[in-house]
Amino acid sequence: MTKNEGEFIELMGGQLGIWYAQQLAPENRSFFLAEYIEIHGPVDHALLVRAAELRIRETETVRLRLRLKTVDGTPVQYLHDAADYPVQAVDLSGETDPRAAARAWMDADLRRPAELDGGALYNAAIITLDEELHYWYIRVHHLVFDGQSGAVAAARGAEIYAALLEGRDPAEGALAPFSVLHEDDRAYRTSPQYEQDRLYWLDRLAGHPALDGGDAYKSRRAQHAPLRHTDGIDTDAADSLKRGARRLRTSFPGLMIAAAALYQHRVSGEREITVGLPVRARGDRHTLAVPGMTSNILPLRLSIGPRTTVEDLVRQTSRAVRDGMKHQRYRYRDMLGDLKITDGDLCGLHINVMAFDYDLRFGTCPTVTHNLSTGPVDNLRIDIYDRGGMQINIDANPDAHDLDAAAAVSRHYLNVATWLAHAEPTALAAHADLLDEGERGRVLVEWNDTATERVSGSLVDLFEA
């Protein structure tokens, strides 16, 4: 795409979905993805800024901008000049609490509105907290970036810094241009595989409860950034969950996805459960290394009844994920259109298990990556990070939930996941523990403590009393 800089091209399928969603919630700032890499040690500040500048020049997708056609108002995109994307150098080392000041700076930047008609969709900063602590911060609109892009860009940033530090040419190993991803998307949408995928999802979603138009599947379009509750999962608990996955002959993500479906069953009583699974939706391994917006949602449709065993649930989940991944490029928005669902959703709960570690080093300096925003949430999303320690984030639509509710989701979901990890394969899934010991005591003991003093006497005496 580099040789066509400034030329207008159409948006890819995933980009269009985000653009339309942003039009329905123009004040929602959570369409920006944001994270920062915390770098510990004597990093070379000047080289870090230079690496951030070179990465902007190389990563074409972050320099994409939109224009609206004057005829019908539909968007097109073009590649903008790298010179208009300066990397901000922010020195907070003199602050009383540099970490708090850095978080406040990033939060303020994240609240800035998007300029979708010709404005920049990317911002980066190198924030100095002291001589041996720096943050590499990015904020980028979901229109041009997804989770896979974040992992690729972070690794490439570390590579560029290492090359500069060692005096090598930082252009070695440069990322492929955005055109690779764009052309692959265009080829898919005119291929026989596109129609095969469409037919697969039509068959898989036939008779879905959402087609009846019930309130449970009404769209709850989030107008504001989600509320976030975060819990750490200690090492022993994390290891126990992974051992449980191996014992049940599934993967750790497979166990946690099954736990999400089981949690939804336990809190709703519904026997038919559909959870949303974010996927990369890339065509091949070559496109995995090209930053851009392709991510999609797979609606995993599962059945959990009174006689469903743990083994049944785990096998169902594995099959749904395995089969769905073969058809992951067909857009969720197109599935809704095919089903003629104009104001509804197929899944109220989304689950994303990121069981990978960036494991980045800048020279000899170790890092920790922190997520600030992963996109809008129309109901509830569970994000599990397994990188440098396990963490669970519950993001909730503030129009439908509060932080207490998000905290309860985290607690109850982890209770279900823990129960599942220790359950026998023949155990009934409907027996999953949802409540912790304190909650169970309140329900079974405190709320049932209805004893009262017995009184005697005639009805007239009791009325007078």
Side-chain angles (χ1 to χ4, degrees):
M1 183 170 176
T2 309
K3 14 182 214 188
N4 300 318
E5 189 165 310
E7 177 184 344
F8 290 127
I9 59 171
E10 73 276 9
L11 272 62
M12 298 189 298
Q15 292 180 289
L16 271 174
I18 295 296
W19 186 81
Y20 284 120
Q22 178 79 88
Q23 304 315 299
L24 295 173
E27 300 303 317
N28 191 338
R29 305 289 190 265
S30 65
F31 284 91
F32 279 108
L33 310 182
E35 68 177 19
Y36 64 97
I37 301 171
E38 182 177 327
I39 307 171
H40 295 265
V43 71
D44 187 314
H45 178 269
L47 288 188
L48 197 60
V49 172
R50 181 60 179 156
E53 292 170 343
L54 291 176
R55 192 177 72 175
I56 291 171
R57 181 181 301 173
E58 180 181 300
T59 312
E60 292 187 343
T61 188
V62 302
R63 295 188 281 117
L64 290 173
R65 297 195 182 192
L66 302 187
R67 282 294 183 195
L68 303 183
K69 292 181 181 177
T70 55
V71 176
D72 56 7
T74 58
V76 290
Q77 60 188 338
Y78 65 98
L79 187 63
H80 197 72
D81 191 336
D84 287 338
Y85 293 85
V87 175
Q88 299 182 69
V90 182
D91 188 350
L92 300 175
S93 58
E95 297 288 335
T96 304
D97 187 343
R99 284 183 179 270
R103 183 57 191 262
W105 188 94
M106 293 184 289
D107 286 345
D109 182 69
L110 197 49
R111 287 193 296 269
R112 291 194 294 111
E115 297 178 43
L116 293 188
D117 191 3
L121 301 176
Y122 177 84
N123 187 36
I126 302 299
I127 305 174
T128 302
L129 289 81
D130 63 44
E131 289 184 356
E132 298 202 354
L133 180 60
H134 292 76
Y135 290 173
W136 185 339
Y137 162 82
I138 67 164
R139 174 183 64 93
V140 55
H141 201 283
H142 205 2
L143 268 163
V144 297
F145 222 63
D146 57 16
Q148 173 67 16
S149 304
V152 170
R156 182 58 186 149
E159 290 174 0
I160 294 173
Y161 176 82
L164 293 172
L165 193 65
E166 297 164 10
R168 294 184 285 108
D169 183 0
E172 294 176 9
L175 299 174
F178 175 70
S179 59
V180 170
L181 209 57
H182 192 271
E183 289 165 8
D184 182 70
D185 179 77
R186 179 185 295 171
Y188 166 70
R189 296 182 72 83
T190 57
S191 71
Q193 184 63 45
Y194 178 84
E195 181 62 16
Q196 292 171 23
D197 294 345
R198 188 182 75 86
L199 293 175
Y200 168 83
W201 288 111
L202 275 173
D203 178 66
R204 183 69 184 143
L205 299 171
H208 193 281
L211 297 174
D212 294 335
D215 289 340
Y217 294 95
K218 286 292 184 184
S219 179
R220 300 179 178 180
R221 186 70 60 191
Q223 298 299 313
H224 304 92
L227 302 172
R228 172 171 291 182
H229 174 82
T230 298
D231 277 322
I233 303 175
D234 65 45
T235 302
D236 289 342
D239 289 344
S240 178
L241 290 170
K242 292 175 180 178
R243 284 195 301 271
R246 291 192 294 271
R247 185 177 58 81
L248 293 172
R249 295 182 294 119
T250 189
S251 64
F252 172 68
L255 176 77
M256 302 310 281
I257 295 166
L262 185 52
Y263 161 82
Q264 187 71 1
H265 168 71
R266 294 287 284 117
V267 298
S268 69
E270 296 170 353
R271 296 190 180 187
E272 179 152 332
I273 302 297
T274 306
V275 295
L277 178 67
V279 292
R280 296 164 174 168
R282 304 285 178 115
D284 53 38
R285 294 184 63 86
H286 182 54
T287 58
L288 287 176
V290 185
M293 168 50 203
T294 65
S295 66
N296 195 21
I297 298 295
L298 298 189
L300 302 180
R301 191 177 179 186
L302 306 172
S303 177
I304 306 176
R307 309 310 300 172
T308 302
T309 66
V310 166
E311 184 172 24
D312 292 337
L313 173 61
V314 171
R315 298 284 83 77
Q316 264 196 83
T317 304
S318 296
R319 283 195 302 273
V321 173
R322 182 183 64 246
D323 293 346
M325 290 294 286
K326 296 174 184 177
H327 307 277
Q328 63 176 296
R329 301 187 70 188
Y330 192 74
R331 307 305 308 176
Y332 181 68
R333 184 172 65 91
D334 292 336
M335 296 178 206
L336 295 177
D338 291 340
L339 296 170
K340 297 180 172 54
I341 297 175
T342 56
D343 184 26
D345 208 341
L346 298 172
C347 21
L349 177 66
H350 292 228
I351 169 76
N352 194 10
V353 185
M354 286 153 278
F356 57 85
D357 195 335
Y358 281 12
D359 193 25
L360 302 176
R361 284 187 174 269
F362 287 79
T364 60
C365 301
T367 66
V368 180
T369 303
H370 302 268
N371 174 266
L372 296 173
S373 174
T374 52
V377 177
D378 289 337
N379 193 3
L380 288 167
R381 184 178 61 226
I382 301 171
D383 287 332
I384 298 171
Y385 295 90
D386 188 13
R387 56 191 194 194
M390 193 175 291
Q391 176 182 302
I392 177 172
N393 290 344
I394 306 296
D395 282 357
N397 180 353
D399 300 327
H401 307 278
D402 59 21
L403 269 178
D404 288 342
V409 171
S410 179
R411 186 170 64 251
H412 295 154
Y413 168 71
L414 287 174
N415 288 342
V416 170
T418 301
W419 180 89
L420 191 60
H422 292 87
E424 290 300 319
T426 55
L428 296 178
H431 291 173
D433 284 335
L434 189 67
L435 306 180
D436 57 34
E437 290 301 321
E439 291 171 320
R440 189 175 295 106
R442 286 195 295 276
V443 171
L444 299 180
V445 179
E446 294 176 25
W447 293 354
N448 280 320
D449 186 10
T450 58
T452 185
E453 181 182 354
R454 183 176 179 181
V455 295
S456 60
S458 69
L459 185 60
V460 174
D461 291 338
L462 291 176
F463 267 119
E464 288 180 353

